[in-house]
């Protein structure tokens, strides 16, 4: 059974509570709170410089949150290293040159999923 099939529809998948992050003296993320339930489609929108990438990097542990809590499948992520977060089933696919440019979008995403047994095209169904 793949890790992806263990989600319970409608249950909390991601919960962010009072997240704060700074760049220098600028308070970028100000008490950000939201939750995403399994089966929901969530979109992060905003103009340049409002903290979209900062939030994603905080979720992945690439930069530590100054305060607040991040939970993934009811497990606290704060303090976990990025590779530990990936092992929990959360991933970050950046835009730009940080992916494999000769692969399609699907191939880049499947490459990330290949870490989990049964999560590729043969086990996704």
């Amino acid at each position: 059974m793949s890790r992806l099939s263990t989600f319970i529809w409608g249950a909390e998948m991601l919960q962010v509570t009072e997240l704060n992050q700074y760049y220098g003296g600028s308070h970028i993320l100000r008490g950000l709170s939201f939750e995403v339930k399994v089966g929901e489609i969530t979109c992060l929108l905003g103009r340049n410089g409002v903290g979209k990438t900062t939030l994603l990097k905080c979720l992945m542990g690439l930069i530590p949150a100054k305060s607040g809590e991040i939970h993934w499948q009811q497990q606290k992520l704060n303090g976990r290293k990025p590779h530990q977060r990936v092992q929990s089933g959360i991933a970050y696919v950046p835009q730009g040159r940080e992916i494999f440019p000769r692969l399609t979008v699907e191939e880049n995403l499947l490459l990330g999923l290949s870490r989990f047994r049964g999560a590729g095209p043969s086990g996704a169904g």
Side-chain angles (χ1 to χ4, degrees):
M1 176 182 292
S2 89
R3 180 183 303 264
L4 297 175
S5 65
T6 60
F7 291 125
I8 299 170
W9 291 101
E12 277 184 11
M13 182 171 57
L14 174 65
Q15 183 180 26
V16 174
T17 308
E18 292 295 317
L19 192 65
N20 288 280
Q21 182 53 273
Y22 299 79
Y23 272 132
S26 298
H27 194 172
I28 302 299
L29 300 178
R30 298 175 178 261
L32 179 65
S33 296
F34 67 93
E35 64 181 42
V36 179
K37 295 185 184 307
V38 174
E40 288 184 342
I41 296 173
T42 303
C43 183
L44 181 61
L45 298 173
R47 62 178 172 75
N48 291 346
V50 297
K52 299 178 302 291
T53 300
T54 300
L55 170 61
L56 294 174
K57 288 182 176 183
C58 280
L59 294 177
M60 284 308 304
L62 299 172
I63 55 176
K66 293 294 182 191
S67 64
E69 292 189 349
I70 302 167
H71 288 84
W72 174 254
Q73 298 177 356
Q74 280 77 49
Q75 300 294 318
K76 189 172 179 181
L77 291 182
N78 300 64
R80 290 191 186 177
K81 296 184 183 324
H83 74 274
Q84 294 170 316
R85 296 176 192 217
V86 169
Q87 290 169 345
S88 297
I90 188 170
Y92 172 56
V93 180
Q95 70 180 38
R97 297 185 189 111
E98 299 169 29
I99 59 173
F100 298 101
R102 294 190 185 267
L103 299 181
T104 66
V105 171
E106 180 182 19
E107 290 168 335
N108 271 283
L109 293 173
L110 289 174
L111 187 61
L113 279 176
S114 68
R115 170 106 169 85
F116 302 102
R117 262 198 280 178
S122 62

